[in-house]
């Protein structure tokens, strides 16, 4: 219907990158790998992404992973290591630091608040 959410209109390569990151967030991601996967050059993707989203490709990857971690913290009893693996972080410590940096809150605090 008319109330259906429609994502912002980005250029093709940015849209493809966003979709690809969403589908592959748990993999080891690099700008080079993402650009190759969506058939774009690294320089074009990096520039277009920053211009259109206001952040770097890897900052966006971190945001996606943190959002997934938030959902898992709020809805599961998985420990941080399990959540880190599902969301695509290197390990629990990596998740903890990036979560705090991105949200301003520690994962355990976030989990208690969201219950």
């Amino acid at each position: 219907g008319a109330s259906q959410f429609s994502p912002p209109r980005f250029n093709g390569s940015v849209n493809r990158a966003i979709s690809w990151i969403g589908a592959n967030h748990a993999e080891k991601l690099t700008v080079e790998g993402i650009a190759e996967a969506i058939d774009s050059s690294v320089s074009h993707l990096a520039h277009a992404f920053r211009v259109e989203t206001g952040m770097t490709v890897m900052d966006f990857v971190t945001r996606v992973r943190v959002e997934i971690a938030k959902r898992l913290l709020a809805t599961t009893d998985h420990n941080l290591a399990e959540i880190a693996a599902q969301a695509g972080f290197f390990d629990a410590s990596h998740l903890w630091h990036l979560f705090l940096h991105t949200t301003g809150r520690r994962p355990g605090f976030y989990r208690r608040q969201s219950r």
Side-chain angles (χ1 to χ4, degrees):
S3 64
Q4 204 173 355
F5 172 75
S6 64
R9 299 260 176 261
F10 295 122
N11 92 30
S13 56
V14 173
N15 257 343
R16 288 198 310 279
I18 287 171
S19 297
W20 199 85
I21 291 164
N24 297 278
H25 64 267
E27 312 295 317
K28 187 177 186 322
L29 298 182
T30 62
V31 180
E32 294 78 13
I34 295 164
E36 188 177 322
I38 65 160
D39 208 20
S40 172
S41 75
V42 172
S43 58
H44 169 77
L45 177 61
H47 176 75
F49 210 94
R50 186 181 270 290
V51 167
E52 296 198 31
T53 69
M55 63 181 96
T56 67
V57 175
M58 294 316 292
D59 281 345
F60 180 80
V61 168
T62 298
R63 292 275 175 93
V64 168
R65 288 172 170 166
V66 165
E67 287 305 314
I68 290 163
K70 279 180 170 176
R71 194 176 68 228
L72 292 169
L73 284 164
T75 61
T76 74
D77 291 319
H78 298 329
N79 66 35
L80 273 192
E82 292 169 314
I83 290 173
Q86 288 176 33
F89 291 101
F90 183 67
D91 58 20
S93 166
H94 186 225
L95 163 59
W96 194 92
H97 286 287
L98 285 172
F99 195 95
L100 180 63
H101 177 75
T102 305
T103 68
R105 292 181 285 183
R106 294 183 301 281
F109 182 74
Y110 179 85
R111 172 174 264 168
R112 286 191 300 277
Q113 273 195 322
S114 63
R115 292 287 161 122

